[in-house]
Amino acid sequence: MDQSIDYWRQVIELSPWIVATPFLVGFGIILLNTLVGSSTKLVKTLSMVASVGGVLYGFIHSLLLFQALVKHPELVPWVKNIPYFTSASFTFTVGVLIDNLAVFMMLVVTSVSLLVQIYTHGYMREDPGYSRFYCYLSLFTGSMLGLVVATNLFQSFIFWELVGVCSYFLIGFWWNKESAAQACMKAFVINRVGDFGFLVGILWFFAVTYSVWSGHPVLQFFDKDGYDVAGVIQKAYLAKNLDVQTLWFISMVMFMGPMAKSAQFMLHTWLPDAMEGPTPISALIHAATMVAAGIYLVARAYPIWQSADGTPGGMGLTFVAIIGAATAFMAATIAMSQYDIKRVLAWSTVSQLGYMFVGLGAGAYTGGLFHLFNHAFFKAMLFLCSGAVIHGLAGEQDIRKMGGLKKSMPITAICFLIGTISISGCPGFSGFFSKDEIIGAATAMDPMLGGVMILTAGLTAFYMFRVYFMTFEGAYRGNAHPHESPLVMTAPLMVLAVPSILSGYLGFNFASLGAISFTGEHGKAFSNWFGSFIYFKQPVFEGINGTVMLSSIGFAAAGFLVAYLMYVAGSLKWNQAIAESKSPLVQGIYQFSFNKWYFDNLYMGLIQKVILPGFQAFWKLIDILIVDNIVNGAGIVARGMGEGLRYAQNGRGQYYALVIFGWVAGLTVLVFFLR
Amino acid sequence: MDQPQSILTAILLTPLIGSVAIALMPPEWARKLAIAFSAAMLALSAFATQSFKPGTAGYQFEQIVTWITSPFPVQYHVGVDGFSLCLVVLTAFVTLMAVLASESIGDNRPKLFYSFVMLLTLSILGVFVSLDLLQFFIMYELELVPMYFLIAIWGGPRRDYAAMKFLLYTFFGGVLMLGGLLYLYFALTVDNPAMVTFDMVKLAQVAPLLPKSAQLIAFLGFFLAFIIKLPSFPFHTWLPDAHVEAPTPISMILAGLLLKMGSYGLVRICMDFFPTVFIDYGHWIMALGAFNIVWAAMACLVQTDMKRIIAFSSVSHMGFVLLGIGSLSAAAVNGAIFQMISHGVISAALFFLVGCVYERTHTRDIHEIGGGLAKEMPYVFYMWMFAVMANLGLPGLAGFVAEAAVFYGAYTSPMALTTAPHHAMVQTAIVIACTGVILTAGYMLWLFKRLFFGELLAKWQGHLSDARSTEKVVGWALCLSILILGIYPMLLINQYGNVADAVTRGVVSKMSISQKPETQL
């Protein structure tokens, strides 16, 4: 194609429609449902076609954008802003920012959303809320794309909350289920806790840089005159408005937002419960896109997490890496003992998100985002596979009641296996490449950190193969009638299987294979395609550290082997040993993992035993003790005045009023002269 | 285009004529007449907006009729700027919604009911368009009469208590305002006899020149009156009682419009007349606002009466107005004004929806309702969902704009600058206020869950019905306006933005005179 540069410029200038279309579709479906009702076949088909069409358009346009960026890198970053709130103090804008990072994420969002929406047609066909589901999916896709193209932190916050509320609607989609009702509320409230930190972080950041923005659109991610987050930090640092410590604290407070959205250590408890929602949204929202928003935000506003004085690294990033590592390890240990197929995958998502944060925190900017990219595909596929399993077993989610499904649902089994291999970090599959980059960077930052990540890789292989073996191998243990899903559901799986195997090669150059170093050093680096597209400031390529790579492969293989011996060969009986063990230590560890490190118990206990009673006591104290004393006084007055008003009703109102007004006038004059 | 000079008088006369007409016509006409007059009011205010010139400084559509000049001046003076115009439109809109929502309650003595509603509207509109302090005061007090009877006649079981409590608190506030008003008058007599006036336009110029102590005393009179109406801790207890007992449409007007009289007065009178008080005590006003936001939200978490929760939520949301105006940042004052309008619509929607549920279940107790209502009343469920999201400040809906503007504005305001004397206190107050976003989400979602999610109790099976067509119309109108304001807030800000900037500039300009920051020396 030899279109002129004007053509590509136009492609970029029309990009706001990618965001607007799903919203219009969403509102259209609402109108349609209100005017016509949601039960007719026509409305259902229209909703589906409009929703899928909207995201299909988005996907095609994103591909065109991508082409434009490759052909004419000089056209970006492209920014278009409109004012949202103006005042003499400052102006907030919303708009569209197109650059490599945004287009990369748009591709991920639209492609996964497209496949999930196609899959939904099969999965939700019998559900009375079919049309409503497509409406929510469209609104979510629009909100997520709005977050991706956000030009400033304020706009990020807007769409950040909007994706959260879509997630709330979808988790609580089956509102008559008590567990779903609990889960959606929990998701929203915990996300609000994160948003609180996010908001305070932005406020703080805004306050210290306030004088520097000086009339420019505020909180921008990119500005051609340098009035963007990076430039302003530099200017504020030089003007001594901002020191290194302050920026550390700001970045840590602000990190609460990503911690909640991406379910990181301490604010993670909502994500596994979010599995109460229908499986397509677990794949789209709670695996591939929304939960990656935290990673995206940190990548987008990376300068905030860096050191203000411009030196590489910094406490902000270290904090990100530590939280990420803690999350990755914790979630992996929990995933090992869970029995709900979706929850194992959810914990695995939590763990993999931790990896991405370690990548960003350890300075592997490209590596972290590369893992986001690969993970989006294989985890979406894994969730859709689990959905197919649940669909085929009439709603069964307990892997103890599965087994042997390989025979009855071969496509699902193969796709699940591909996903499992990929996430376990088997060389040659996509997960391996990005995970290796992250582990390499983590090791370079701190060997301890690298060690934790390598250990976690082993655990990952174990719990993923445990799920695979318990679900698809051996003999069937349930009493449903397993059957393979229709093509509309399996086709998206098969499409997703392709990037799950191959997407890793985008970030790999075969030349580095020849330069592996086994001396504990990084080998010679060669440029790769992904790293030349997504980078911070300038592309950074890392060679392969053979020692690290081999040890992570070794741990993963060990994990696989243990799972195989325990669940297929049956020669290893650790699980029985644990179940029968009387040792309090063994039982304690098992229960610690099974009960998800007791976070839920802790939080619920805090809320029910401390916070709510605390509020109640506080409220009683103030409202009843202090205010009501006034009110009781007022009650006496009320009775007295009631008597007075009785006279007023007897026709002597004017005297009464006269007396009061007279008193007021008299007292005022008195106050005035006594002053 | 020439501006229609008597448009405001026409807007004021509409409800007055309406109330008389309803009283004279047969009862079966009452509702139709009320709808017609409210619609006419909305049309007139839309026409006024159409011919209004936004961005022009000062008042428009001004009309002055002098009555007497001695011993003290009495005149009829009306006029609007962008700020009061927005509130006039809000009043007309919410009144129409409330009249529409009176379908069931208004059947009981319809003539009296609708007549009182019209009278109530007259007094609210009067407050927003008055430019004479005496006239303002009379309009402010006039509202008491219809409101008292509307609660006392059409209210719930404890209506007598609630109506009396409302009356006492508000009357007490009125007395304080009268005191402040008289004090201001006498103080001016001493300070500058040539300039003695009740004209608010002139007062805004002369009152700030009064000595600090005189400003403070007069300010206290007005401020206390307004925060009783707002309402703010510790004078808020009338609100939950009044709301719980008031019938649905009256709650809509009470929360949507009446509270705005207080917040309007805070900006129009307290900020304009007494700037030095804001400079010296702005941080305390902010602290009070922050306390209101958080404490009322906590109170919501321990209530079991759904209407009480929404009522306390109003207290919490009006805290944003205090937080905004105390901060002396143009953006935050702008946000405070936006909050008045957005809360006007959102709280009207919420009280309307509470009414929808109450009308069908005849209980407001969350435990008695027991959840699962979504099954039998899906339409009400979706409207509730929308209103809940609006109330917890979801971006894209009206409530968020105001909250964000107040937070961002306050945190970057002159009060929060590190050079400001009380910046630590101010910053702490704002961060505490920010925890309100968690608490608000907590109580709203909890309420929503306990009403609509889960299984329906057996006793409700088959006894509930979904929204009627009038209810759908009201619901859609309220929800759409919330959405439009949230997506395109500039619609409103274009109208009143310059007022917020000017008011703030007026106060801050005094700051440099009275405080003289070191940087300027």
Side-chain angles (χ1 to χ4, degrees):
Chain A
M1 280 196 282
D2 287 341
Q3 276 85 1
S4 68
I5 186 162
D6 289 328
Y7 171 81
W8 295 115
R9 193 173 283 129
Q10 209 168 7
V11 164
I12 293 177
E13 277 165 8
L14 287 173
S15 56
W17 285 105
I18 302 178
V19 183
T21 311
F23 276 114
L24 294 177
V25 168
F27 290 131
I29 297 177
I30 293 174
L31 271 183
L32 198 67
N33 276 315
T34 321
L35 298 177
V36 190
S38 58
S39 47
T40 60
K41 186 134 191 344
L42 180 71
V43 171
K44 287 185 172 183
T45 315
L46 264 177
S47 311
M48 187 269 287
V49 170
S51 188
V52 173
V55 72
L56 179 65
Y57 155 72
F59 179 59
I60 293 171
H61 198 150
S62 306
L63 279 176
L64 284 174
L65 277 177
F66 172 67
Q67 235 176 332
L69 261 58
V70 172
K71 284 188 195 240
H72 297 285
E74 73 277 9
L75 289 179
V76 290
W78 179 84
V79 183
K80 176 90 182 155
N81 271 319
I82 53 167
Y84 178 78
F85 172 90
T86 57
S87 80
S89 322
F90 49 78
T91 295
F92 284 132
T93 57
V94 290
V96 173
L97 163 63
I98 297 293
D99 64 357
N100 291 9
L101 183 60
V103 171
F104 143 78
M105 197 68 186
M106 281 162 103
L107 279 172
V108 173
V109 173
T110 50
S111 58
V112 177
S113 180
L114 177 64
L115 292 168
V116 166
Q117 295 205 15
I118 293 171
Y119 178 94
T120 296
H121 175 62
Y123 193 83
M124 300 295 287
R125 195 182 316 188
E126 307 296 324
D127 198 284
Y130 178 90
S131 180
R132 180 164 59 107
F133 194 75
Y134 270 110
C135 171
Y136 290 155
L137 278 179
S138 271
L139 290 178
F140 169 75
T141 308
S143 310
M144 188 67 208
L145 289 169
L147 173 61
V148 168
V149 300
T151 59
N152 57 63
L153 275 170
F154 176 74
Q155 187 187 356
S156 291
F157 188 84
I158 291 184
F159 287 99
W160 185 264
E161 290 238 307
L162 286 181
V163 290
V165 79
C166 292
S167 149
Y168 167 83
F169 291 153
L170 285 161
I171 297 168
F173 187 77
W174 289 314
W175 38 257
N176 52 344
K177 262 167 63 182
E178 178 63 23
S179 52
Q182 293 277 8
C184 66
M185 187 179 148
K186 185 173 176 183
F188 200 106
V189 173
I190 292 185
N191 269 295
R192 266 285 162 114
V193 174
D195 291 351
F196 160 74
F198 189 19
L199 175 66
V200 172
I202 301 178
L203 288 181
W204 196 356
F205 178 69
F206 189 35
V208 293
T209 57
Y210 183 60
S211 54
V212 188
W213 296 104
S214 62
H216 294 80
V218 294
L219 300 170
Q220 298 290 312
F221 292 129
F222 173 80
D223 180 83
K224 61 183 187 324
D225 302 324
Y227 286 93
D228 50 19
V229 169
V232 160
I233 289 176
Q234 211 174 11
K235 290 187 180 75
Y237 180 71
L238 292 176
K240 300 215 184 312
N241 291 341
L242 174 69
D243 52 27
V244 177
Q245 275 93 344
T246 312
L247 193 64
W248 288 352
F249 288 127
I250 290 174
S251 72
M252 285 182 210
V253 175
M254 210 189 277
F255 191 57
M256 277 177 75
M259 273 167 73
K261 191 93 359 186
S262 297
Q264 294 300 289
F265 187 64
M266 290 184 292
L267 293 178
H268 63 275
T269 56
W270 66 274
L271 185 57
D273 286 5
M275 297 300 127
E276 291 294 339
T279 308
I281 63 117
S282 307
L284 176 62
I285 301 185
H286 303 121
T289 56
M290 184 189 84
V291 289
I295 287 95
Y296 183 77
L297 183 86
V298 174
R300 185 46 98 189
Y302 209 50
I304 294 178
W305 275 271
Q306 286 189 313
S307 191
D309 55 10
T311 52
M315 270 300 286
L317 286 177
T318 312
F319 182 67
V320 171
I322 291 170
I323 291 287
T327 312
F329 178 72
M330 170 202 68
T333 59
I334 294 173
M336 288 162 57
S337 64
Q338 304 299 315
Y339 286 114
D340 182 319
I341 184 167
K342 282 179 74 182
R343 291 199 186 222
V344 177
L345 291 178
W347 284 110
S348 141
T349 305
V350 175
S351 174
Q352 297 301 311
L353 292 166
Y355 268 100
M356 298 173 206
F357 275 122
V358 171
L360 289 181
Y365 183 87
T366 305
L369 289 169
F370 191 33
H371 199 53
L372 188 164
F373 181 70
N374 295 333
H375 176 260
F377 296 117
F378 63 67
K379 187 49 72 59
M381 183 181 69
L382 283 169
F383 265 112
L384 293 184
C385 287
S386 78
V389 169
I390 296 165
H391 189 76
L393 296 180
E396 184 55 67
Q397 303 200 4
D398 193 328
I399 51 175
R400 284 169 295 192
K401 294 181 185 151
M402 295 178 187
L405 299 181
K406 195 169 63 177
K407 288 171 222 87
S408 45
M409 25 184 106
I411 303 175
T412 311
I414 290 170
C415 289
F416 200 98
L417 181 62
I418 291 171
T420 305
I421 295 173
S422 191
I423 196 174
S424 307
C426 170
F429 286 75
S430 70
F432 164 76
F433 296 99
S434 45
K435 205 181 257 187
D436 186 59
E437 258 184 76
I438 292 171
I439 294 177
T443 317
M445 184 185 185
D446 187 307
M448 270 277 289
L449 193 68
V452 173
M453 299 326 286
I454 292 173
L455 176 63
T456 308
L459 300 179
T460 309
F462 170 76
Y463 69 72
M464 282 311 298
F465 276 103
R466 168 177 173 267
V467 171
Y468 174 74
F469 290 142
M470 283 186 76
T471 310
F472 294 101
E473 298 287 341
Y476 183 56
R477 297 180 291 273
N479 37 23
H481 302 286
H483 58 86
E484 183 62 286
S485 305
L487 184 67
V488 68
M489 287 168 69
T490 47
L493 299 182
M494 294 185 276
V495 174
L496 280 168
V498 177
S500 300
I501 302 171
L502 297 177
S503 68
Y505 292 99
L506 294 174
F508 183 67
N509 189 328
F510 283 98
S512 22
L513 272 182
I516 298 181
S517 152
F518 288 101
T519 54
E521 302 284 311
H522 282 287
K524 189 173 179 310
F526 295 92
S527 77
N528 63 56
W529 184 87
F530 190 89
S532 330
F533 190 67
I534 304 287
Y535 49 82
F536 181 71
K537 284 186 181 159
Q538 67 272 336
V540 180
F541 302 105
E542 300 271 339
I544 302 175
N545 183 336
T547 329
V548 174
M549 186 179 79
L550 282 186
S551 40
S552 84
I553 294 174
F555 268 85
F560 161 74
L561 206 64
V562 173
Y564 182 81
L565 292 176
M566 268 166 77
Y567 297 102
V568 180
S571 50
L572 205 59
K573 298 211 180 329
W574 288 352
N575 43 352
Q576 272 179 10
I578 289 171
E580 287 157 13
S581 166
K582 296 279 186 291
S583 148
L585 182 69
V586 174
Q587 277 300 323
I589 290 174
Y590 175 74
Q591 290 297 333
F592 192 62
S593 158
F594 186 73
N595 289 311
K596 304 166 274 184
W597 288 32
Y598 294 103
F599 268 107
D600 278 327
N601 310 50
L602 177 71
Y603 290 166
M604 282 320 283
L606 269 179
I607 289 172
Q608 284 172 350
K609 300 264 161 57
V610 181
I611 295 177
L612 279 182
F615 285 177
Q616 200 132 25
F618 184 63
W619 183 70
K620 276 206 176 114
L621 183 80
I622 290 187
D623 209 68
I624 294 172
L625 214 78
I626 299 174
V627 179
D628 257 26
N629 271 351
I630 303 171
V631 175
N632 286 343
I636 298 164
V637 179
R639 250 167 278 139
M641 294 260 260
E643 296 293 315
L645 282 177
R646 192 170 295 161
Y647 290 112
Q649 283 165 358
N650 286 345
R652 279 194 262 170
Q654 61 270 51
Y655 295 114
Y656 177 68
L658 194 67
V659 168
I660 291 203
F661 283 80
W663 268 104
V664 171
L667 281 176
T668 314
V669 176
L670 200 67
V671 170
F672 182 73
F673 286 109
L674 288 181
R675 176 162 61 91
Chain B
M1 191 175 82
D2 267 358
Q3 291 191 325
Q5 284 312 313
S6 44
I7 182 86
L8 293 179
T9 311
I11 292 179
L12 269 182
L13 280 178
T14 314
L16 187 63
I17 298 171
S19 97
V20 175
I22 291 167
L24 294 177
M25 294 293 180
E28 52 273 20
W29 287 26
R31 179 171 163 79
K32 292 191 183 95
L33 278 173
I35 294 175
F37 276 100
S38 323
M41 209 155 57
L42 187 59
L44 280 174
S45 48
F47 177 62
T49 316
Q50 187 67 34
S51 37
F52 184 78
K53 297 191 185 78
T56 330
Y59 295 93
Q60 301 183 31
F61 312 125
E62 262 191 273
Q63 219 177 11
I64 305 179
V65 181
T66 313
W67 185 22
I68 51 169
T69 47
S70 110
F72 51 87
V74 179
Q75 58 172 2
Y76 169 80
H77 186 182
V78 291
V80 286
D81 58 6
F83 171 33
S84 32
L85 183 68
C86 288
L87 288 168
V88 167
V89 177
L90 176 79
T91 308
F93 176 64
V94 173
T95 306
L96 179 61
M97 292 300 122
V99 168
L100 285 175
S102 308
E103 217 176 6
S104 46
I105 196 81
D107 287 349
N108 173 17
R109 298 210 234 166
K111 281 167 69 170
L112 200 58
F113 180 82
Y114 288 112
S115 201
F116 272 138
V117 171
M118 286 291 123
L119 206 59
L120 185 60
T121 312
L122 165 74
S123 85
I124 299 167
L125 284 172
V127 166
F128 295 146
V129 299
S130 288
L131 288 181
D132 181 89
L133 205 51
L134 269 182
Q135 186 191 339
F136 177 90
F137 173 74
I138 292 166
M139 289 299 190
Y140 194 89
E141 290 299 286
L142 179 64
E143 152 268 325
L144 262 178
V145 182
M147 202 54 169
Y148 174 80
F149 287 110
L150 283 167
I151 298 176
I153 299 177
W154 288 272
R158 289 174 75 223
R159 53 180 178 259
D160 288 337
Y161 170 76
M164 184 53 79
K165 200 165 175 181
F166 167 78
L167 187 78
L168 282 175
Y169 269 80
T170 319
F171 193 78
F172 184 61
V175 169
L176 282 168
M177 176 152 51
L178 183 65
L181 190 149
L182 292 175
Y183 182 85
L184 178 65
Y185 187 80
F186 288 123
L188 278 172
T189 329
V190 175
D191 196 60
N192 192 351
M195 290 300 287
V196 164
T197 177
F198 279 130
D199 192 297
M200 285 161 71
V201 183
K202 290 180 194 141
L203 275 175
Q205 285 153 11
V206 290
L209 305 175
L210 285 173
K212 262 189 183 182
S213 56
Q215 282 195 37
L216 183 62
I217 295 176
F219 166 85
L220 276 180
F222 284 102
F223 183 71
L224 288 174
F226 294 140
I227 68 168
I228 288 174
K229 187 67 93 188
L230 192 61
S232 160
F233 181 86
F235 307 114
H236 63 280
T237 55
W238 65 269
L239 182 84
D241 285 318
H243 267 309
V244 163
E245 298 306 327
T248 301
I250 302 310
S251 282
M252 288 167 72
I253 294 183
L254 186 59
L257 303 175
L258 237 63
L259 309 188
K260 307 305 169 293
M261 292 165 47
S263 53
Y264 174 78
L266 283 174
V267 176
R268 178 65 82 222
I269 293 179
C270 290
M271 280 190 89
D272 253 6
F273 293 5
F274 314 114
T276 57
V277 182
F278 277 81
I279 294 165
D280 292 343
Y281 301 102
H283 55 287
W284 284 110
I285 299 177
M286 290 177 83
L288 182 64
F291 182 79
N292 270 320
I293 293 172
V294 173
W295 172 82
M298 285 182 184
C300 287
L301 280 167
V302 298
Q303 305 294 326
T304 55
D305 180 324
M306 59 175 173
K307 210 167 182 187
R308 237 184 148 74
I309 295 181
I310 305 298
F312 271 110
S313 154
S314 279
V315 179
S316 174
H317 281 91
M318 294 317 279
F320 279 97
V321 173
L322 287 174
L323 185 64
I325 61 170
S327 72
L328 304 186
S329 141
V333 174
N334 198 317
I337 294 177
F338 204 97
Q339 177 76 337
M340 296 178 204
I341 292 141
S342 70
H343 178 263
V345 186
I346 295 170
S347 64
L350 278 168
F351 278 113
F352 163 69
L353 291 167
V354 164
C356 283
V357 173
Y358 177 70
E359 198 189 306
R360 289 162 175 78
T361 58
H362 302 288
T363 176
R364 291 183 309 260
D365 192 280
I366 295 169
H367 299 299
E368 264 184 65
I369 293 173
L373 296 182
K375 186 159 177 277
E376 299 268 324
M377 26 210 296
Y379 213 100
V380 177
F381 168 68
Y382 291 124
M383 292 197 289
W384 254 95
M385 185 150 92
F386 190 89
V388 163
M389 288 306 155
N391 202 39
L392 58 75
L394 187 77
L397 305 179
F400 167 76
V401 185
E403 289 181 20
V406 168
F407 281 142
Y408 285 83
Y411 212 86
T412 54
S413 68
M415 307 296 284
L417 282 183
T418 38
T419 47
H422 306 286
H423 67 93
M425 172 178 162
V426 166
Q427 287 174 353
T428 317
I430 297 169
V431 172
I432 288 173
C434 285
T435 59
V437 303
I438 306 172
L439 297 173
T440 312
Y443 70 76
M444 282 316 290
L445 295 180
W446 200 19
L447 168 68
F448 186 47
K449 171 182 170 288
R450 287 186 292 174
L451 288 179
F452 287 95
F453 286 79
E455 288 297 337
L456 190 68
L457 294 187
K459 63 176 170 181
W460 302 127
Q461 300 279 3
H463 290 286
L464 302 172
S465 57
D466 207 359
R468 291 186 302 269
S469 47
T470 335
E471 289 172 335
K472 287 182 185 175
V473 169
V474 176
W476 266 97
L478 289 166
C479 291
L480 268 184
S481 48
I482 294 171
L483 183 67
I484 291 168
L485 291 183
I487 291 181
Y488 190 61
M490 293 305 292
L491 194 69
L492 270 184
I493 295 167
N494 283 336
Q495 301 286 340
Y496 75 76
N498 63 326
V499 182
D501 294 345
V503 168
T504 319
R505 199 166 46 237
V507 182
V508 175
S509 63
K510 302 284 184 306
M511 190 178 231
S512 48
I513 299 168
S514 74
Q515 285 194 335
K516 290 220 181 7
E518 307 89 275
T519 44
Q520 292 190 350
L521 289 174

